[in-house]
Amino acid sequence: MSEAHASDVTRRDFLYIATGAAGAVAVGGIVWPLVSQMGPNEREKAAGAPVEIDISAVEPGMLITVIWRGKPYFVRHLTDEEVASATDAPEADFRDYASADSRISAAEGADPKWAIVGANCTHLGCVPTKIDTGLEGWICPCHGSKFDVTGRVMKGPAPTNLPLPPYSFASEEKLVIGLDKAGA
Ligand code: FES
């Protein structure tokens, strides 16, 4: 990772919420007590049951990482500027084009916009690092792939976008990963 990119990274809002963990631990040493995870019992979680995540404290521009079925997923609250830049970006900027709309979600009737994507690079599985400015949303520390704020790959070697998990919003403040709107 270049120094320029390292300076763009804000690690303090980069959280891991492990399935079954009682709290959240922030990389960089800041604990974020308002983010909690409530869901089925531990045995169901281990088997891959949906996880419910309190997103009420995740402000625009912030990112948390949650674990579902043993894999990390990014939950990124997009700023208005990020939504606008992703929506306006030309198709030619992307290796595996998909519309920004198809990758941005919101709870019904709510304004906040979210990108919820798998957190393993589609090249060899490293976990990309958040970039705080511009359309480029993540850079992979292993071989330099870049992804936009919705997880669309802009520069390889990653061949495809960060995948979208099944998810739904139980409310404006509750995200459920592992269960889509249709209940699948
Ligand atoms: S694992 Fe991400 S670019 Fe290779």
Side-chain angles (χ1 to χ4, degrees):
M1 183 168 57
S2 70
E3 284 183 21
H5 285 119
S7 67
D8 287 332
V9 174
T10 300
R11 288 192 172 84
R12 66 177 180 275
D13 59 357
F14 189 84
L15 306 183
Y16 263 97
I17 307 171
T19 300
V25 177
V27 175
I30 296 175
V31 174
W32 191 4
L34 295 180
V35 175
S36 63
Q37 185 176 336
M38 295 174 287
N41 66 37
E42 300 308 308
R43 198 170 52 191
E44 287 172 320
K45 284 180 181 174
V51 290
E52 187 174 296
I53 300 137
D54 182 349
I55 52 174
S56 59
V58 186
E59 301 290 336
M62 295 178 81
L63 166 76
I64 61 172
T65 303
V66 301
I67 303 295
W68 175 61
R69 291 189 171 174
K71 289 189 174 177
Y73 290 84
F74 293 136
V75 177
R76 184 170 183 151
H77 190 167
L78 301 174
T79 64
D80 290 344
E81 293 73 24
E82 286 172 336
V83 171
S85 69
T87 304
D88 293 345
E91 187 171 338
D93 283 0
F94 301 97
R95 298 193 78 199
D96 178 24
Y97 180 72
S99 71
D101 275 358
S102 70
R103 300 185 56 88
I104 296 173
S105 294
E108 209 165 275
D111 228 3
K113 299 288 192 294
W114 301 86
I116 298 148
V117 297
N120 291 114
C121 178
T122 54
H123 181 220
L124 293 175
C126 294
V127 176
T129 305
K130 182 175 183 272
I131 298 173
D132 278 334
T133 55
L135 178 62
E136 293 169 0
W138 286 277
I139 183 165
C140 182
C142 292
H143 312 99
S145 290
K146 286 181 184 172
F147 301 88
D148 85 329
V149 294
T150 74
R152 296 176 294 180
V153 62
M154 304 181 77
K155 178 175 170 252
T160 56
N161 300 332
L162 299 178
L164 306 178
Y167 63 83
S168 53
F169 292 89
S171 72
E172 244 180 90
E173 302 187 336
K174 300 283 186 207
L175 169 69
V176 181
I177 292 186
L179 194 66
D180 64 21
K181 280 184 201 159

